[in-house]
Amino acid sequence: MTIMVSTLSLALLWLQDPSAADPSAAAPSASGGSALLEMIHNSGPVAFAVLILLLLCSIFSWSIMLSKWSSFGKAETQSKRFLRAFRKSGRLGEIATVSDQFKPSPLVSVFNEIHDEYQRQSGGRGLPRNPVALDRAAQTASSEALTVMERRMTWLATIAAIAPFIGLLGTVMGIIDAFHGLGASGTATLRAVAPGISEALITTAAGLVVAIPAVVGYNQLTARLREFGSRMDDFGRELLNAIENAAMVSPPAAQDDRRQPEEQRRREF
């Protein structure tokens, strides 16, 4: 709304001042980069404070995005290696001893939680006494791992949401100062108001420059978090199936071991 009002005001001033349209009367324009730097240098205290605040928000958001991309990449690589090791090995004890090597992977925490609960219930042998408890342990480990991975994501979402409004605030204050100076000088010309308005619009552009990468980064990181959550749920179910399958195979052997002494006793009698 503020940008529309300023645009209409500029159009009215241009119609009232025909000399503004004369190329010979216009001052020679500088290059785009130098003109931008000059406008930033000539910005008022409010606009300059807004630009500094947006610069800090941009540095903070980029640090969050780069650190998350790096940590998520390591977690994905270690998760693939851990899955290969888990599927090659047929014993949970062997995986438990080497699980710390794949520590950046969130699947390791799910495995350790389920394995510890299984050890508490049955000592690592036979069917678990309470399979529901194993399922709850898997869900708890998955939730805790996602909570750790989601740290500082709220700051990224906050920066993406408020950066355009911070820039708009600087623009509004700059336009107010420009029209106040126009009213004090009493000269309603385009040359009098255009520099102030152009300097004020820089803060809106800066807010968009900060917000757009933050929005893209937040959406991409959130999608990867959902992918990690799905992988942890799938791995938890796969691990529970492996425990049940191993327990279904081991009891018959135990029963045969028990029957052998009985048969030997019968033969002795």
Side-chain angles (χ1 to χ4, degrees):
M1 186 65 183
T2 306
I3 298 176
M4 293 177 62
V5 172
S6 61
T7 304
L8 292 174
S9 301
L10 288 175
L12 291 174
L13 290 173
W14 184 79
L15 291 175
Q16 293 175 1
D17 189 12
S19 62
D22 189 3
S24 61
S29 60
S31 61
S34 60
L36 181 62
L37 293 176
E38 183 180 357
M39 287 187 291
I40 294 175
H41 179 72
N42 296 329
S43 299
V46 176
F48 191 74
V50 168
L51 290 175
I52 293 296
L53 180 59
L54 290 174
L55 177 62
L56 295 176
C57 291
S58 178
I59 294 173
F60 188 46
S61 64
W62 275 104
S63 65
I64 293 174
M65 288 187 289
L66 292 177
S67 64
K68 290 297 180 184
W69 281 328
S70 177
S71 62
F72 288 0
K74 293 179 181 178
E76 185 175 1
T77 301
Q78 294 297 328
S79 295
K80 293 179 180 178
R81 294 178 180 175
F82 179 73
L83 280 176
R84 285 197 298 266
F86 172 76
R87 289 167 181 171
K88 287 181 180 179
S89 177
R91 298 180 180 179
L92 297 180
E94 295 178 355
I95 301 298
T97 56
V98 299
S99 61
D100 291 338
Q101 299 178 5
F102 311 96
K103 198 61 177 178
S105 172
L107 303 182
V108 175
S109 60
V110 177
F111 173 82
N112 290 335
E113 191 69 25
I114 295 177
H115 183 262
D116 293 342
E117 180 65 25
Y118 180 55
Q119 290 289 334
R120 285 191 294 267
Q121 288 189 17
S122 60
R125 295 180 180 178
L127 287 171
R129 293 191 299 269
N130 189 1
V132 179
L134 292 178
D135 191 13
R136 286 197 297 262
Q139 293 178 2
T140 302
S142 177
S143 177
E144 291 177 353
L146 281 179
T147 300
V148 173
M149 299 179 73
E150 287 175 352
R151 287 177 182 173
R152 296 191 301 171
M153 288 291 294
T154 54
W155 282 107
L156 187 60
T158 302
I159 292 173
I162 68 173
F165 295 101
I166 295 176
L168 186 60
L169 174 63
T171 298
V172 171
M173 298 302 297
I175 290 176
I176 291 174
D177 292 339
F179 279 105
H180 180 73
L182 181 64
S185 63
T187 57
T189 61
L190 182 61
R191 291 181 181 178
V193 70
I197 293 178
S198 62
E199 292 170 4
L201 292 175
I202 293 177
T203 57
T204 298
L208 294 175
V209 169
V210 174
I212 291 173
V215 171
V216 175
Y218 178 78
N219 291 333
Q220 294 295 322
L221 293 173
T222 302
R224 296 194 68 179
L225 283 172
R226 288 196 297 266
E227 183 179 354
F228 277 116
S230 300
R231 288 183 179 180
M232 283 186 284
D233 293 338
D234 294 340
F235 175 72
R237 288 189 290 266
E238 183 178 353
L239 179 56
L240 293 177
N241 291 334
I243 291 174
E244 292 179 357
N245 292 334
M248 293 295 291
V249 172
S250 59
Q255 291 177 4
D256 292 339
D257 294 338
R258 293 176 182 175
R259 289 175 181 175
Q260 287 177 0
E262 294 180 357
E263 292 177 355
Q264 291 177 358
R265 291 176 183 175
R266 293 177 180 176
R267 291 176 183 177
E268 292 177 356
F269 286 117

